[in-house]
């Protein structure tokens, strides 16, 4: 019988992870099935345990359950420990092992697909939820010069920055970036701005003043889809050098999870190109 995997989240119907893992499996000759698991709010643990009891081998975890998954796992790998969030669960002898591949996926996409060197870069990270938590340590490990974490709930940004325990990291609320028409209050300029918020679900862009956007070489939106999100539109309006969505990160983090589960690393470029064409309706 094929080994069973799934992505668990809420909502989850939009997820491209099943298509990506099916392409990886076909490419590497692995015998797996990969589905979607919709868990109700407050129903994460029950849904995970039912899946495990029915013989499931592993799960990807998406919004809003990454921190629940961290609390649930019996043991966590260092990257998941550092993040306090889990996006990949492996069931080994009934025990749940947690890993976080989001950060590796983001770094790989930025450095290899987009072609921006992270070493020495000044980075603004918008958001302090599960996705943001997963990328802090990998960005620091990539040698960035500074990381400003800005979040709607300022306390979460401050807490996440403090948890990093690194002098390059600071946490604040949006007012620290200044007013829409003025220079940034901090005087800071960023090479890379990453939107790790779910603001696009509310058809909104995080309130980053245009002067802050304008100086960036790359605006990276973690959401992905057929069309630009409000953040991407704002970045284009501000003439940011390069504007990309999170499809590359999605494919790269999936490849990390697949390697972990199956012990074989798939090629990501053909899968990225195929899913991009599908998103565009081609
Ligand atoms: P969480 O629910 O854990 O966190 C959401 C974050 O977004 C919080 O920081 C929240 O702020 C902020 N936020 C929500 N709405 C708004 C808004 N209208 N304006 C400003 N800030 C807002 O979600 P995740 O961290 O798991 O996911 C965030 C995004 O990243 C999602 O869109 C997800 O799809 C995407 N993602 C993409 C991946 C990829 O591989 N491409 C991987 C992981 C995530 P507050 O704390 O104030 O509530």
């Amino acid at each position: 019988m094929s080994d069973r995997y799934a992505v668990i989240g809420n909502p989850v119907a939009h997820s491209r992870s099943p298509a990506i893992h099916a392409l990886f499996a076909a490419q590497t000759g692995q015998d797996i099935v990969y589905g979607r698991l919709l868990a109700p709010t407050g129903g994460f643990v029950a849904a995970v345990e039912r899946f495990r009891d029915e013989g499931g081998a592993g799960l990807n975890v998406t919004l809003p359950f990454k921190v629940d998954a961290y609390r649930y796992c019996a043991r966590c790998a260092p990257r998941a420990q550092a993040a306090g969030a889990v996006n990949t669960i492996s069931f080994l002898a009934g025990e749940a092992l947690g890993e976080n591949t989001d950060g590796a996926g983001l770094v790989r996409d930025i450095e290899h697909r987009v072609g921006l060197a992270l070493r020495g870069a000044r980075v603004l990270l918008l958001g302090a939820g599960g996705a943001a938590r997963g990328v802090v340590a990998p960005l620091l490990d990539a040698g960035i010069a500074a990381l400003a974490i800005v979040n709607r709930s300022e306390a979460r940004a401050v807490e996440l920055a403090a948890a990093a325990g690194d002098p390059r990291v600071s946490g604040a609320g949006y007012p620290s970036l200044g007013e829409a028409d003025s220079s940034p209050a901090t005087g800071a300029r960023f090479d890379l701005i990453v939107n790790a918020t779910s603001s696009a679900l509310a058809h909104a862009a995080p309130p980053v003043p245009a002067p802050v956007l304008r100086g960036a070489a790359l605006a990276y939106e973690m959401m992905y889809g057929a069309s630009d999100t409000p953040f991407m539109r704002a970045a284009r309006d501000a003439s940011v050098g390069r504007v990309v969505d999170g499809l590359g990160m999605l494919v790269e983090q999936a490849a990390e999870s697949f390697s972990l589960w199956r012990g074989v690393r798939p090629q990501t470029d053909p899968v990225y190109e195929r899913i991009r064409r599908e998103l565009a309706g081609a």
Side-chain angles (χ1 to χ4, degrees):
M1 219 169 70
S2 313
D3 289 338
R4 289 181 54 219
Y5 299 89
V7 54
I8 182 168
N10 187 345
V12 79
H14 67 284
S15 173
R16 295 280 159 165
S17 291
I20 292 170
H21 282 275
L23 290 167
F24 286 164
Q27 187 197 100
T28 57
Q30 293 286 308
D31 182 15
I32 68 163
V33 289
Y34 188 112
R36 292 186 181 87
L37 206 55
L38 175 69
T41 310
F44 173 76
V45 170
V48 168
E49 298 204 326
R50 196 173 321 116
F51 181 79
R52 179 201 61 191
D53 294 346
E54 289 168 3
L59 287 166
N60 282 132
V61 182
T62 188
L63 179 142
F65 296 126
K66 289 180 186 184
V67 177
D68 300 75
Y70 172 71
R71 294 200 190 104
Y72 172 74
C73 285
R75 280 189 289 139
C76 283
R79 286 187 298 187
Q81 287 283 0
V86 158
N87 80 334
T88 307
I89 298 176
S90 309
F91 295 110
L92 290 180
E95 193 178 60
L97 305 180
E99 176 57 287
N100 193 311
T101 66
D102 280 339
L106 176 72
V107 167
R108 208 177 155 80
D109 189 42
I110 289 175
E111 295 210 301
H112 293 270
R113 186 165 289 106
V114 179
L116 180 86
L118 285 169
R119 183 156 298 280
R122 300 179 56 82
V123 182
L124 171 60
L125 177 63
L126 307 171
R133 298 172 80 106
V135 304
V136 170
L139 284 170
L140 293 170
D141 290 348
I144 61 170
L147 178 64
I149 304 171
V150 169
N151 192 45
R152 184 175 60 181
S153 311
E154 181 173 6
R156 290 182 85 191
V158 171
E159 191 188 317
L160 181 55
D166 188 304
R168 290 173 291 175
V169 187
S170 60
Y174 285 99
S176 68
L177 295 173
E179 298 302 323
D181 298 325
S182 69
S183 295
T186 55
R189 284 279 179 270
F190 300 102
D191 305 298
L192 165 64
I193 302 179
V194 179
N195 184 18
T197 79
S198 50
S199 63
L201 295 178
H203 309 291
V208 180
V212 176
L213 289 170
R214 204 164 290 134
L218 172 65
Y220 195 103
E221 166 69 90
M222 280 200 191
M223 283 275 280
Y224 56 91
S227 52
D228 281 0
T229 64
F231 170 75
M232 293 169 75
R233 285 199 296 274
R236 288 194 205 284
D237 288 349
S239 305
V240 171
R242 188 93 190 265
V243 180
V244 301
D245 75 5
L247 181 62
M249 173 179 174
L250 181 80
V251 173
E252 296 301 337
Q253 63 78 28
E256 291 275 325
S257 299
F258 190 91
S259 312
L260 200 72
W261 289 330
R262 309 306 299 179
V264 49
R265 192 170 178 92
Q267 288 185 355
T268 54
D269 283 347
V271 174
Y272 171 84
E273 278 148 26
R274 168 91 175 258
I275 303 287
R276 177 63 78 201
R277 279 199 303 275
E278 286 180 13
L279 278 177

